[in-house]
Structure formats: structure tokens, C-alpha cells
Amino acid sequence: MDGFHMATQSWSSRAPSPPRLLVPPPAVDRNGAPVSSISQSKNLDFESSGFANSDFLKTVTYDNFMTRNAMVEWKYGQRWTAQNILPFLFLGPVTAARSRDFLRGNGITMLLAVRDTKSAHARLLGSKAAQELDIPYSTLDTTGNQELIAAFPRGIEIINAHLSATYHQNQDEPTLTNRSTPGRVLVFCESGNERSAAMVVAYIMAMYSMDVIKAIQLVQAQRFAVAFDDPTKLLLQTYDSMLRARRDVFRSSKQNNSTSDKATTQPYPVTPRKLSKRTLDDTCDDSEMEVDGVEVWNGNDRRRGAAPFCDDVGL
């Protein structure tokens, strides 16, 4: 009987997978340079990120955080050094973390290594240069890229804690000419293109309310060698959704607190209206409704769409 039927659409034997996140290249100007920018603004609500030690970002101001657009001028040899993603955040490989000249010349004040647990046990991402220059060294160890989403908040806290402490320390230095400098952190991994790049993208999304596509484009505009595979992009997209939900909860809680404060100033208390839950009879009636593309009528599902197979009329 199988010969009397034919498939109405193409079939695949592979396991189902989530849709791919396509990141288009950033727009370019008339000179071919990417139009990517991130500016400090007083309207940015750093508190809504939910991360502590972010107060320094309110006072550290720059006209444009993008120091330069390097995609057009990118050369292959630049993958072995680190690039300035933000004025206080560098991204690069382990070779940059081991370079005394780079650390001293760029004023790096802390190193953050994003490494695999196996690399941590083998001590492959150490930096003798940081020890000699007395530069603090922190690590994020994960057994796989899937654990990065749990390590992102800890990495953001490490970066902000150091930058905030350095910034306030600089405020107490009367001889310091540039007191708006919060320090400089180098985030690195083996290549500087995968785990550490994802960490920098997560930091930009969290602290500057930027969506995942724009954050990836911004990082790639500064370090063209970064590579995000599909699982990493999906992981960053999931973290973006988590950050948006956190901001919505924070703003809703803040709005409720302001409403309650106004209520306390009223001369007479307002009795809140008691809300009752909907019953099953309220949600189910004789009328038709559509839920997720399925027509529901009297508790029976009547699915629409093309049938998977049809009769082969040619036989």
C-alpha cells in the first residue's frame, strides 16, 4: 500500500535542531568602514542589569566607546595580539597575556582567563609576566562551552569589581592626572576568538542593554578573528533573553515600589480590589479559538495544514 501514497513535503532523518542565528556583517560607511558604535549615555540604567559594582560606569564617560573600526585594516598577524574592545576591556589570545611589553604598554591592570578545566589542571594558560608585573590574575574554568552561560555572571562581577575598585582608588590619588580611568582588563583564552570572545559579548549585553547580534557585530568589528559557532551563538541568545527578563523584573519591581510610595501619601487608604482566578467555565465556551495554530472547539483539537501524505493519482 505504500506505493499508492506520496509525501507532500520533504523529509529529513536527522535529529531536530533549533534555528540558526544568522549574524549579518555590520553596515559600512562610504569608506568601507563598519558603522558600529557604543556610546556612554546618562539614560543607560546600569542598575537594571542586576550586577553590583557598576556605579563607576555612571561617571566614566567617553564620546564613543569604539576606539577605532579595524575590520578594513585587519591583518592576519593581529590575531596573535589583543584588541581594545572598550576603553577598559581588551580581548586577545594567551600570547598577549604572556607579553610583558603588551601588558606594560597598554596599562593592563587585571587578567581574566576563560579556560577549559583540562587547561586549568595542566596550567596551560598561566602568565609569568603578570606575576612579575604584579598584575591580578583571575580565571573562569568550565568543562565545556555549555557551562559558559553559568560562568558569565561571575565573570561580569569579577570585571566590575576590579574596575570599580581601581576607579575609586584613582579618585583618591591627588597626583593622578586622569581620574576617570577605571583600569584595564584583558580577557583571554587560548586563541582569543572563542570562549573569551563570548565572555566579552556577554559583558556588553549585560552592562549596555545591547542585543546579541549588535554585540557580536561590535566585537567582530574590533577583532575580526573571533569565531562563534552555532551552539555558542544559541547560548549567547539564551543569555540575552535571561538578561531581558531580569531587566523587566527589575523595572516592574521599581515601578511597584514607586506606586506603593505614592499610596502611602494619600489621606485615605485605598482598598485593593480582590481578584479572583478564572474558572474552567470562563476559559472554555462554545466559541472557537486558536492556540498555537490549532483550532480548539468544545475541547476537541481540529488541526489545520497540509497532510503529510496524499494519494498518488498517477497510479
Side-chain angles (χ1 to χ4, degrees):
M1 296 297 293
D2 295 340
F4 295 95
H5 299 84
M6 60 182 299
T8 60
Q9 52 189 317
S10 59
W11 292 81
S12 175
S13 59
R14 65 178 178 84
S17 60
R20 298 185 62 186
L21 177 63
L22 300 179
V23 181
V28 297
D29 57 17
R30 63 179 65 182
N31 298 322
V35 183
S36 300
S37 63
I38 173 173
S39 301
Q40 176 68 287
S41 173
K42 295 181 179 179
N43 297 326
L44 285 175
D45 187 7
F46 296 107
E47 295 180 356
S48 64
S49 66
F51 291 98
N53 300 312
S54 61
D55 53 335
F56 73 96
L57 292 174
K58 299 178 182 178
T59 53
V60 177
T61 57
Y62 301 90
D63 181 26
N64 186 350
F65 277 18
M66 290 285 292
T67 55
R68 63 188 178 90
N69 289 318
M71 288 184 65
V72 179
E73 305 172 356
W74 181 264
K75 298 179 181 179
Y76 183 81
Q78 292 179 273
R79 66 188 294 119
W80 305 117
T81 185
Q83 280 70 41
N84 200 183
I85 307 301
L86 300 177
F88 47 80
L89 199 62
F90 284 72
L91 171 63
V94 65
T95 54
R98 293 173 178 172
S99 173
R100 297 176 182 84
D101 294 337
F102 175 84
L103 298 178
R104 187 186 298 110
N106 290 276
I108 302 298
T109 58
M110 191 189 78
L111 300 182
L112 177 60
V114 187
R115 59 188 185 180
D116 187 86
T117 305
K118 296 180 180 178
S119 300
H121 292 164
R123 300 180 180 180
L124 298 179
L125 295 184
S127 176
K128 294 182 180 180
Q131 297 177 0
E132 295 175 358
L133 298 176
D134 197 21
I135 298 177
Y137 184 95
S138 299
T139 61
L140 286 178
D141 299 335
T142 60
T143 57
N145 287 351
Q146 292 301 322
E147 292 187 4
L148 280 175
I149 196 169
F152 286 155
R154 186 159 52 94
I156 294 172
E157 292 286 2
I158 292 174
I159 295 173
N160 281 348
H162 172 76
L163 294 176
S164 179
T166 306
Y167 172 77
H168 288 97
Q169 181 180 357
N170 291 343
Q171 301 303 302
D172 299 332
E173 295 290 339
T175 60
L176 194 63
T177 57
N178 186 9
R179 297 187 179 183
S180 64
T181 303
R184 292 185 173 183
V185 178
L186 170 61
V187 183
F188 71 97
C189 60
E190 291 89 342
S191 64
N193 303 326
E194 300 175 0
R195 294 171 181 262
S196 57
M199 179 68 246
V200 173
V201 170
Y203 183 87
I204 294 175
M205 290 193 302
M207 303 314 302
Y208 296 99
S209 302
M210 185 175 291
D211 63 73
V212 59
I213 293 181
K214 291 182 179 179
I216 292 178
Q217 289 176 337
L218 187 144
V219 173
Q220 191 174 31
Q222 298 296 74
R223 181 172 174 80
F224 188 66
V226 294
F228 301 98
D229 56 13
D230 288 341
T232 302
K233 288 190 289 187
L234 181 61
L235 182 143
L236 288 170
Q237 186 180 31
T238 302
Y239 189 62
D240 185 19
S241 301
M242 295 170 59
L243 291 172
R244 293 176 183 274
R246 176 184 291 185
R247 294 189 193 101
D248 292 341
V249 171
F250 178 85
R251 290 166 184 158
S252 177
S253 176
K254 189 175 181 180
Q255 184 178 3
N256 292 338
N257 292 336
S258 62
T259 303
S260 61
D261 293 340
K262 292 180 181 179
T264 57
T265 60
Q266 295 181 358
Y268 301 101
V270 179
T271 303
R273 183 171 62 91
K274 184 177 181 181
L275 299 177
S276 59
K277 294 183 178 180
R278 293 183 300 170
T279 63
L280 183 61
D281 294 336
D282 296 331
T283 56
C284 299
D285 52 17
D286 294 337
S287 61
E288 294 184 1
M289 62 180 179
E290 184 175 335
V291 179
D292 295 336
V294 179
E295 285 188 356
V296 181
W297 181 76
N298 288 339
N300 297 323
D301 292 348
R302 187 173 62 198
R303 299 182 181 274
R304 298 179 303 176
F309 296 93
C310 65
D311 296 333
D312 192 349
V313 296
L315 297 178

